[in-house]
Amino acid sequence: MTKQWLTFTEQIKAHYKQDFVPLHEPTFSEKELEYVTDCVKTGWVSSVGAYVTRFEEELAKFVGVKRAIAVMNGTAALHIALKVAGVKPNDEVLMPSLTFIATANAVSYIQAIPHFVDVSEITLGIDSEKLEQYLLEIGDFKGNELLNKKTNRVIRAVVPMHTFGHAVEIDALQKVCEKFNLILIEDAAESLGSYYKGKHTGSFGKVSAVSFNGNKIITTGGGGAVLTDDEELADYAKHITTTAKIPHRWQYEHDEIGYNYRMPNINAAIGCAQLEKVSQFVNQKRQLTHFYEGLLQDLDGVRLFKEPKHSTSNYWLQTLILDELYTRDEVLALLNDNGVMSRPIWTPMHYLKPYENCPKADMLITERFNNKIINIPSTPVNEG
Ligand SMILES: *Cc1c(COP(=O)(O)O)cnc(C)c1O
C-alpha cells in the first residue's frame, strides 16, 4: 500500500508547490484589501454599512432568490431559517445523520428535536425514497400535521444538506414534503456555486442557509446568510437578526426577543470581493477533480466521489471513498504524516453524546459509509 500512497502525496505537494498542503485555505487578492481598506478609512466597520446591503443583493442575484439576509455565521443563518420557516419548540425536524453538527445544533436552539435519517450513497445526502417509506411507517396525520406515532410529536420540517457541494435529489424531496406536509429548509452551507438541474441549491427550500466560514468556497471571515423568495419571511429574518428593533430616529423599541446576528460591514466587504470570484473558484475546483482523477488511476482500492447525475457541483471538498483494502485511519495517518492534510467525514450525529438519544431511522448506508470517506486538499489552484 505505502509506496503508491507516498507517490500520491508527492504528486499533490508538487501540484500545490507546497511541502505542507492544507485541507482548504481562503484565496484572497487585492480586491479584498481594497474593500476592507475602504471600510476602515470611512469608519464603517461595524453592524451597518453599504457593503452589507451590496453583499445581500449580489448574493441573492447569484443564487436566484429574491432576498438574502447576511448574518455572522452559517449556524446563525440555519437557526433563523428554521425559526422564520415555522419550526416550533418540541417539533421534530428530519435531517441526515451524516452532516456537520451545526445542522442539529440549530434545531436544538429552538427547542426542536433533530430526527436523523439515512443518506444515499449516490448523493451522500438524504435518500428521499427511503425517507418516504419511513414516513409511511412512522407517520400519522392528525388534521394536516404529521405526527410521529412513536413519540407523539409533530414532524414539521426536512433539512437536506448538500454534502461537500453535491446537490441532493431535491425535487424528489420536494414531493415527499408535499405529500407529508413538511417544510423544506435547505442547509446549503457547503454548496454555493452548486446547481441541481440548472437551478442553484438554496433556492428550492422555503428558506435556506449558506455559510461563509473561512474554509467554505467563499469566505467573509465568519459569516452566513438566510435565503428566501418570501419577502415577508425575509423582512422578519432581517428584523429578528437585528435585535427586533423598530426603526426610529432615536428610540429603542423592540417588539420581541431578537438576536444580534447581523454581519458586520467589514466582513461583508470581504464577501463582496469573494463573490466576484465564486465562478472562478468553482472552475478551479472542478479542474482539481480532474487532476485527482488522473492520480487515482494508479491507486487501487479507492475512488474519487463524483457529482451525482443531476448535480453540477462546486466540489467544495474533494472526497475519497475507500474500499475494504484499507482502514480509514491508516490512510489518514499516512497522508497527514506526509504533508497532505486530510480529514475524515464527520462522525454521524446519532453517535454523538448530545444527539445519541434522538429519534432516528435505520442507518444502513451512513454506518457502512462513514468510516470510508476522506477529504483531501481542496483549495482552488491558481494555474498560471
Ligand atoms: C459550515 C457548515 C455550517 C455552518 O457553519 P458556520 O461555521 O456556522 O458558518 C452548517 N452546516 C454545514 C453542513 C456546514 O458544513
Side-chain angles (χ1 to χ4, degrees), residues 73-75 78 99-100 102-103 161 187 189-190 211 213 216 223:
N73 59 54
T75 312
L78 270 171
T99 184
F100 178 57
T103 324
M161 195 276 284
D187 181 346
E190 306 182 355
S211 165
N213 191 32
K216 294 284 160 47

Side-chain angles (χ1 to χ4, degrees), residues 46-344:
S46 188
S47 346
V48 192
Y51 283 109
V52 175
T53 311
R54 175 169 157 192
F55 184 59
E56 289 178 338
E57 286 172 2
E58 286 172 2
L59 178 67
K61 201 169 145 209
F62 178 77
V63 174
V65 289
K66 286 203 181 116
R67 298 278 298 277
I69 296 91
V71 294
M72 33 179 243
N73 59 54
T75 312
L78 270 171
H79 176 190
I80 297 304
L82 290 157
K83 188 171 161 79
V84 303
V87 175
K88 296 186 183 62
N90 213 37
D91 285 349
E92 291 185 9
V93 177
L94 299 155
M95 70 174 69
S97 181
L98 208 59
T99 184
F100 178 57
I101 195 167
T103 324
N105 283 349
V107 167
S108 306
Y109 298 161
I110 36 184
Q111 280 81 52
I113 292 109
H115 184 154
F116 303 115
V117 296
D118 205 7
V119 295
S120 135
E121 52 190 309
I122 312 291
T123 64
L124 297 182
I126 292 180
D127 182 329
S128 55
E129 270 173 43
K130 226 174 146 174
L131 176 64
E132 182 169 4
Q133 282 312 310
Y134 179 61
L135 291 178
L136 285 171
E137 214 176 281
I138 65 148
D140 197 8
F141 270 106
K142 194 172 168 206
N144 55 8
E145 289 185 325
L146 187 71
L147 285 193
N148 179 344
K149 279 191 279 201
K150 293 181 187 160
T151 62
N152 244 352
R153 288 186 292 244
V154 175
I155 304 177
R156 185 75 64 191
V158 185
V159 184
M161 195 276 284
H162 306 286
T163 307
F164 307 140
H166 300 289
V168 302
E169 287 287 335
I170 195 92
D171 55 5
L173 273 179
Q174 276 177 318
K175 287 200 188 95
V176 174
C177 286
E178 275 161 33
K179 180 166 173 179
F180 293 98
N181 195 24
L182 302 170
I183 306 166
L184 183 67
I185 300 156
E186 288 176 84
D187 181 346
E190 306 182 355
S191 65
L192 191 74
S194 299
Y195 297 79
Y196 180 79
K197 292 185 179 170
K199 192 171 183 287
H200 200 288
T201 55
S203 68
F204 294 87
K206 183 175 183 184
V207 190
S208 306
V210 280
S211 165
F212 310 111
N213 191 32
N215 63 349
K216 294 284 160 47
I217 185 155
I218 69 165
T219 186
T220 57
V226 178
L227 307 172
T228 183
D229 275 328
D230 186 318
E231 299 279 0
E232 224 170 287
L233 294 187
D235 288 341
Y236 184 47
K238 192 71 187 174
H239 185 61
I240 59 171
T241 53
T242 52
T243 68
K245 184 176 179 296
I246 298 167
H248 189 278
R249 282 172 64 203
W250 52 76
Q251 197 133 308
Y252 292 104
E253 286 291 346
H254 305 261
D255 60 0
E256 67 177 286
I257 299 174
Y259 305 86
N260 183 15
Y261 274 2
R262 69 178 111 204
M263 178 184 281
N265 200 44
I266 196 164
N267 299 81
I270 298 174
C272 288
Q274 289 269 291
L275 200 54
E276 292 171 14
K277 291 179 284 198
V278 60
S279 301
Q280 175 200 321
F281 292 157
V282 172
N283 290 338
Q284 288 170 330
K285 281 172 175 290
R286 294 180 66 86
Q287 286 299 319
L288 194 57
T289 306
H290 289 302
F291 166 74
Y292 279 128
E293 240 184 328
L295 298 193
L296 286 180
Q297 294 186 340
D298 303 326
L299 259 174
D300 301 323
V302 57
R303 69 182 166 89
L304 199 65
F305 188 82
K306 299 289 291 293
E307 62 194 357
K309 196 157 142 217
H310 300 298
S311 174
T312 309
S313 304
N314 67 5
Y315 281 93
W316 168 56
L317 284 187
Q318 306 287 337
T319 305
L320 300 182
I321 312 278
L322 306 172
D323 72 13
E324 279 70 29
L325 265 183
Y326 318 107
T327 67
R328 183 188 78 184
D329 286 1
E330 67 181 329
V331 174
L332 281 173
L334 186 142
L335 295 175
N336 285 297
D337 287 349
N338 288 282
V340 173
M341 186 171 161
S342 304
R343 289 289 177 265

Side-chain angles (χ1 to χ4, degrees), residues 20-44:
F20 169 76
V21 188
L23 189 68
H24 200 289
E25 278 191 316
T27 307
F28 295 131
S29 58
E30 288 300 314
K31 264 295 170 60
E32 284 81 0
L33 260 184
E34 185 190 315
Y35 295 170
V36 168
T37 306
D38 181 41
C39 289
V40 175
K41 279 192 172 155
T42 58
W44 290 99

